[in-house]
Amino acid sequence: MNTVYSSIKGLGFYVPDNIVTNDDLTQYMDTSDAWIQERTGIKQRRYFTYGKDTNASMGAAASRMALDRAGLEPSAVDLIVYATITPDYYFPGSAFLMQRELGLEGIGVIDIRNQCSGFVYALSIADQFIKTGMYKTVLVVGSEIQSSFLNKSNEGRGVAVIFGDGAGAAVLQATTDPEHRILSTHLHADGRYAEDLYVRDPGSSREGQWISEATLADGQYNVTMNGNTVFKHAVVRFMEVINESLTANGYQPEDLSLLVPHQANIRISGYVQQQMNLPDEKVFNNIQQYGNTTAASIPIALTEAFEQGRIKPGDLVCLAAFGSGFTWASALIKW
Ligand code: UT7
């Protein structure tokens, strides 16, 4: 019997129309285009339009594009794995809402909450389900509406300027071709740093009701981040998890065709690129246009890289992520 692997058959993304430039943010907080570009590389990001975009509708738009490019009808999908930390409802997750929107009632859906590594975790789960033979076609989605979670005042400026909204999707299918497939995925987490990047409320372990006057007054329903700590861990873990994927498959950094890192900060990608001695054409960055879109950032970047002809059959592509949790993960793909 031939070994079953999974391969990426189609990619898609959706970003809201509403472009928010760095200059636009100066209306709400004391910041500047120069500061944001120098510290993060970001020039602009997208914010969702209330009444038009939902987390699930953005995921559905990205999924339709990915399915279309794979030459598949939505009915071909056996399972949805959906990564987000900004769901439309507290529960059920946005996977259910997107399933409904795509008319796929009845198939299994899984919601993943693994922050900036969410898409790579979701991809890994899809890959395992395909390799066991349980499913043939799995839709993997990352979608975020973060603009409504941010404190867009001076107090929140260290966090608010980096995040944006958007969605990306990949269609995975079973293959027996060992030359074009996901080679391996690598997942890690360290909960000791949970509070270095988190949204505390609403949470269940509170005195009385989980949303009270006290929690509202505290303002802990916005993102809180210890940016320097996150940055220091990110540069180390990105390198580790990329090298782990290469070593596991007998490759060296110079064998990479393209690294698609989670778009956290251009300085993080730049440091990793320099340490791994990779030329510019081997590292994909689009944080300039979209900011950090958490679980959506890798599938948006991967789709744009593909559209721009930066990925060709036979290429060795590495996806790598680091984020809140802490969590970090990679996937090595022979395209
Ligand atoms: O997706 C994965 C999770 N997130 C990340 O990977 C983010 C990792 N961290 C970072 O990218 C960086 O820490 C930030 C971009 C968030 C911040 O950059 P930084 O170089 O670490 O700046 P800082 O927080 O140390 O702040 C430096 C200065 C401070 O002023 P003082 O104390 O030196 O006078 C801040 O008050 O910059 C000030 N500042 C700002 N100034 C203008 C902070 N935010 C802003 C702002 N505009 N938006």
Side-chain angles (χ1 to χ4, degrees):
M1 208 180 86
N2 286 328
T3 307
V4 176
Y5 308 104
S6 63
S7 70
I8 296 179
K9 290 289 180 199
L11 291 164
F13 80 107
Y14 171 90
V15 288
D17 300 334
N18 181 18
I19 296 172
V20 178
T21 65
N22 294 341
D23 281 336
D24 291 336
L25 292 178
T26 63
Q27 293 169 41
Y28 315 108
M29 62 187 84
D30 184 12
T31 190
S32 67
D33 180 48
W35 191 95
I36 300 171
Q37 286 211 47
E38 188 193 314
R39 300 290 175 127
T40 70
I42 299 165
K43 295 178 197 283
Q44 59 185 48
R45 74 285 296 138
R46 306 293 180 107
Y47 283 179
F48 87 117
T49 300
Y50 177 71
K52 178 181 181 225
D53 301 307
T54 66
N55 184 307
S57 77
M58 299 198 317
S63 296
R64 285 193 193 98
M65 185 191 281
L67 285 162
D68 198 46
R69 289 175 173 181
L72 295 170
E73 292 296 325
S75 58
V77 175
D78 300 317
L79 176 76
I80 294 167
V81 191
Y82 197 105
T84 186
I85 55 165
T86 53
D88 297 295
Y89 301 143
Y90 195 83
F91 73 82
S94 293
F96 294 81
L97 309 182
M98 191 192 80
Q99 181 222 45
R100 183 172 70 188
E101 187 158 337
L102 293 177
L104 294 177
E105 294 85 1
I107 67 165
V109 303
I110 303 174
D111 274 282
I112 303 291
R113 277 175 61 146
N114 276 65
Q115 299 74 245
C116 297
S117 302
F119 183 80
V120 182
Y121 267 76
L123 192 79
S124 179
I125 289 164
D127 183 43
Q128 312 313 314
F129 272 114
I130 289 175
K131 286 196 291 199
T132 62
M134 185 157 170
Y135 295 120
K136 280 202 165 54
T137 305
V138 182
L139 185 53
V140 184
V141 182
S143 180
E144 304 284 5
I145 291 180
Q146 305 188 106
S147 53
S148 53
F149 276 68
L150 303 171
N151 176 352
K152 299 189 204 79
S153 70
N154 274 351
E155 203 191 343
R157 67 179 182 171
V159 176
V161 298
I162 68 176
F163 291 107
D165 303 342
V171 180
L172 265 63
Q173 271 201 316
T175 178
T176 52
D177 181 352
E179 298 304 321
H180 304 281
R181 64 180 175 98
I182 294 176
L183 297 174
S184 62
T185 56
H186 306 270
L187 310 179
H188 298 279
D190 188 343
R192 287 176 299 172
Y193 301 96
E195 287 80 17
D196 281 299
L197 175 46
Y198 81 136
V199 174
R200 194 190 69 185
D201 292 320
S204 57
S205 50
R206 300 286 177 276
E207 191 179 6
Q209 289 297 108
W210 70 341
I211 299 177
S212 63
E213 291 298 328
T215 52
L216 289 175
D218 262 5
Q220 295 285 330
Y221 46 81
N222 292 312
V223 180
T224 302
M225 177 170 73
N226 189 349
N228 291 306
T229 305
V230 176
F231 195 102
K232 284 180 194 142
H233 283 260
V235 288
V236 174
R237 297 307 194 183
F238 263 112
M239 302 274 296
E240 271 179 21
V241 83
I242 295 164
N243 281 321
E244 183 182 3
S245 74
L246 292 169
T247 306
N249 295 284
Y251 289 112
Q252 305 289 328
E254 57 265 31
D255 297 322
L256 267 180
S257 312
L258 190 69
L259 171 65
V260 181
H262 162 56
Q263 305 291 300
N265 185 320
I266 202 100
R267 290 189 292 141
I268 295 176
S269 304
Y271 179 84
V272 171
Q273 176 178 347
Q274 183 207 354
Q275 292 295 307
M276 299 192 75
N277 209 11
L278 297 171
D280 286 352
E281 65 271 18
K282 289 195 174 187
V283 182
F284 191 82
N285 293 301
N286 64 0
I287 193 170
Q288 299 90 337
Q289 303 307 315
Y290 306 120
N292 178 343
T293 57
T294 301
S297 99
I298 288 181
I300 294 174
L302 191 59
T303 306
E304 285 206 329
F306 187 77
E307 287 175 350
Q308 292 170 20
R310 304 267 301 262
I311 303 174
K312 302 205 169 50
D315 276 359
L316 190 65
V317 179
C318 185
L319 313 181
F322 177 87
S324 157
F326 289 154
T327 177
W328 59 105
S330 63
L332 196 67
I333 303 164
K334 197 88 195 322
W335 210 267

